[in-house]
Amino acid sequence: MNNPWLVALTTIFVWWFSTGAILWRIRRADLSGRAAHMRSVVGGLPLLIGGYIAMANSADDTSVRGAHVAFLSAVSVWGWFELAFLSGVVAGPNRDHCPPFASMTERFLRSVGTLLWHEIGLISALILCAVLVWTGENHFGLWTFATLFFARVSAKLNLFLGVPRINTQFLPKPLAHLASHFRHARMNFLFPVSITVLTFATGCWMERAADAQTDGIFIGFVLLTVLTALALLEHWFMVLPLPDQKLWTWMLPSVEDPAETVAEPVPGRIPVGE
């Protein structure tokens, strides 16, 4: 698949579908009980294992196929970590609500405690991605995972510091306590920096795609361009009054009493990123 427009549309579909699939499974597990969340994580292990195997096998493949495999393998690994986090299995030691009048320092420490195991897992996963592809010629799997990782860190920090819009529909029962660790605010100092960096990164990937000497490199950078642009869009969703949640709510099982709690954006939504 060498057509950049078709590649872009396919990437957007992967972002939308993978996010919806994870949210659907999490909602089904919520309706079935705590044990269902553990079954989801265990049942999703092929995503993690298969993703790493595919990434390693694509490390020396500089073709168009190699770029696609590397990209999808990173998304697969990322997807498993998102599933594990939203299931509450790989989250953090702190499961308590944050007191409403806690200081900034206390809020930060408590917030870190809610995400600690997940963050350690993602950092370890990023290191393993680097180890698997470092000696090869195809690093698109590593760059894809790194883009998802740093975009998600930015999103989490912005939610902690305060943004106007925080989606509440997608937070599952095991993570209901997260609602108290984020705050609504008109703006924070980090948001313009995040937007600027993501815009710059999108432009850099686009420039590298334009200068690519082979089809494989061209498609790889097109994939990164679209993914980073989606991460940028998800940041804008935190401030613009757009009903982005409707992209997925229509496909989710209904609940009698939806949790009115705070959820981070899911891309990486991929699931890029929530």
Side-chain angles (χ1 to χ4, degrees):
M1 188 162 56
N2 297 347
N3 186 310
W5 298 108
L6 185 57
V7 170
L9 289 174
T10 302
T11 305
I12 294 171
F13 174 79
V14 169
W15 166 78
W16 171 81
F17 177 80
S18 60
T19 298
I22 291 174
L23 292 176
W24 180 87
R25 181 54 208 164
I26 293 298
R27 179 65 62 82
R28 291 293 303 176
D30 257 357
L31 295 173
S32 300
R34 176 70 179 176
H37 284 294
M38 180 60 73
R39 290 196 297 269
S40 296
V41 175
V42 175
L45 281 174
L47 288 173
L48 178 68
I49 299 171
Y52 274 127
I53 292 174
M55 188 180 299
N57 290 338
S58 68
D60 293 316
D61 186 354
T62 58
S63 66
V64 171
R65 177 183 177 277
H68 283 294
V69 170
F71 176 81
L72 292 174
S73 65
V75 170
S76 179
V77 172
W78 183 266
W80 183 85
F81 276 98
E82 287 302 301
L83 178 65
F85 173 68
L86 291 173
S87 296
V89 175
V90 182
N94 178 26
R95 302 295 177 116
D96 297 326
H97 286 71
C98 183
F101 300 107
S103 66
M104 178 69 78
T105 300
E106 183 181 358
R107 282 183 58 238
F108 181 77
L109 293 176
R110 286 175 173 271
S111 297
V112 169
T114 64
L115 308 171
L116 186 60
W117 309 143
H118 183 240
E119 296 306 305
I120 292 175
L122 288 177
I123 293 171
S124 301
L126 180 61
I127 293 172
L128 182 53
C129 288
V131 170
L132 290 175
V133 307
W134 199 256
T135 58
E137 297 182 16
N138 180 0
H139 292 173
F140 287 116
L142 171 61
W143 289 339
T144 297
F145 196 91
T147 298
L148 291 167
F149 176 79
F150 288 108
R152 179 52 57 84
V153 169
S154 172
K156 288 174 179 176
L157 289 174
N158 275 286
L159 286 168
F160 170 77
L161 294 171
V163 290
R165 296 185 66 252
I166 304 176
N167 287 331
T168 62
Q169 292 87 342
F170 305 128
L171 192 67
K173 293 177 182 178
L175 298 181
H177 58 286
L178 284 181
S180 60
H181 293 82
F182 300 102
R183 62 190 292 260
H184 289 272
R186 295 184 62 184
M187 185 55 64
N188 68 74
F189 71 88
L190 180 62
F191 186 80
V193 176
S194 298
I195 292 298
T196 301
V197 171
L198 286 170
T199 302
F200 179 76
T202 302
C204 286
W205 297 136
M206 191 180 299
E207 180 185 23
R208 293 195 175 210
D211 294 337
Q213 302 299 312
T214 67
D215 287 345
I217 294 176
F218 171 70
I219 293 301
F221 282 118
V222 169
L223 290 166
L224 288 172
T225 298
V226 177
L227 182 66
T228 309
L230 288 171
L232 175 62
L233 178 63
E234 289 191 349
H235 277 66
W236 280 116
F237 281 156
M238 290 189 280
V239 300
L240 298 178
L242 299 173
D244 57 293
Q245 70 278 2
K246 292 184 178 180
L247 290 170
W248 297 280
T249 51
W250 64 272
M251 69 174 67
L252 302 181
S254 60
V255 293
E256 294 182 359
D257 185 22
E260 290 297 325
T261 47
V262 176
E264 64 178 357
V266 178
R269 303 288 203 258
I270 296 178
V272 175
E274 204 235 34

